[in-house]
Amino acid sequence: MKTFEKLMSIKRDRGAGYLILIDPDKIVRDKLPAFVRESTEAGADGFLVGGSLMSTGEFDNVLRMIKSNTTLPVVIFPGSLFQVSSIADAILFLILISGRNPEYLIGHQVIASPIIKNIGLEAISTGYMIIESGKTTSAEFISNTKPIPRDKPDIAVAHALAAEFIGMRFLYLDAGSGADVPIPDELVKKISKASSLPIIIGGGIRTPEDALKKVEAGASFIVTGTIIEENSYGRLVREFAETVHSRARMKV
Ligand code: 1GP
């Protein structure tokens, strides 16, 4: 089964999915195998791997380490062209639709596509939207783009519709890693009402309650990075996973 279908079946069966972002620059290598095993056992639904920089040059090794400790989907969330590898199950083929920087709209994609094809990596077309979160995030700075204002849901909805009409398969709404505040619930609600694309939400989600609010507003997948990096993860991963999946239980 393709990774995209696997992710969609997780959403179908569990109401929503919980993904953990691993930034190879931020993890402690020695702890990674145990972290991946514990997160898998604690009910996470998959791993995203990527970051704004890749200073360690260890991208493939980190992916190998993750893959050998879990059977869950391992998907690249690329911060740059250096983050393409056949070791992952798939790559979120990001188009930074909230920005107007041609390099992130088509330039990098053209360079990466033949490589992705040649190594046989599954590419999942994803409309990537950076939403303003009160401070300049790495994604915003590195991509040299302006985020969508958090109090302008109509503008966000228009971008989401364009992504759907172009034929993208996911929307990723990102407040940016370590954001002070996550994406507003109201904005998620309006996008999920207007668009039928599955929505991934990340950036600044610190508690299972934050996550639940996004799921109730219409998110299909919740991503956390920073909070899990900073905490004794096993217990917190379980709390996040149970809370995100609780929506399916409520429906029964
Ligand atoms: C950032 O969505 C991710 O791109 C995760 O953000 O590190 O704030 O959880 P956090």
Side-chain angles (χ1 to χ4, degrees), residues 82-220:
F82 295 108
Q83 298 167 42
V84 176
S85 169
S86 60
I87 298 160
D89 297 311
I91 184 167
L92 292 183
F93 194 78
L94 300 179
I95 322 285
L96 210 179
I97 57 171
S98 57
R100 297 296 179 269
N101 180 345
E103 287 306 318
Y104 286 84
L105 284 166
I106 186 65
H108 290 189
Q109 292 81 354
V110 168
I111 307 286
S113 293
I115 303 171
I116 290 173
K117 178 81 179 169
N118 286 332
I119 64 177
L121 185 61
E122 179 184 340
I124 306 174
S125 172
T126 302
Y128 184 52
M129 293 162 65
I130 304 177
I131 310 290
E132 182 211 333
S133 64
K135 68 177 183 192
T136 307
T137 60
S138 304
E140 178 188 338
F141 182 80
I142 298 282
S143 66
N144 196 16
T145 62
K146 248 190 200 170
I148 293 177
R150 57 189 288 107
D151 60 348
K152 300 262 191 272
D154 294 354
I155 293 181
V157 165
H159 283 75
L161 288 174
E164 183 168 351
F165 298 157
I166 289 167
M168 293 170 181
R169 295 195 283 170
F170 275 133
L171 281 175
Y172 192 134
L173 311 188
D174 199 350
S177 191
D180 287 339
V181 283
I183 311 271
D185 301 336
E186 206 41 43
L187 192 143
V188 181
K189 250 183 228 165
K190 291 208 166 144
I191 290 184
S192 95
K193 204 169 158 218
S195 161
S196 59
L197 290 182
I199 304 172
I200 307 171
I201 302 271
I205 295 176
R206 291 191 172 74
T207 64
E209 293 70 37
D210 284 344
L212 183 62
K213 279 190 207 153
K214 307 304 158 206
V215 171
E216 285 172 346
S220 297

Side-chain angles (χ1 to χ4, degrees), residues 19-21 26 48 50 52 77 128 139 172-180 200-206 222-229:
L19 307 174
I20 294 177
L21 173 64
K26 294 189 185 149
L48 296 185
S52 288
F77 174 46
Y128 184 52
Y172 192 134
L173 311 188
D174 199 350
S177 191
D180 287 339
I200 307 171
I201 302 271
I205 295 176
R206 291 191 172 74
I222 298 296
V223 181
T224 64
T226 309
I227 194 68
I228 300 298
E229 278 158 20

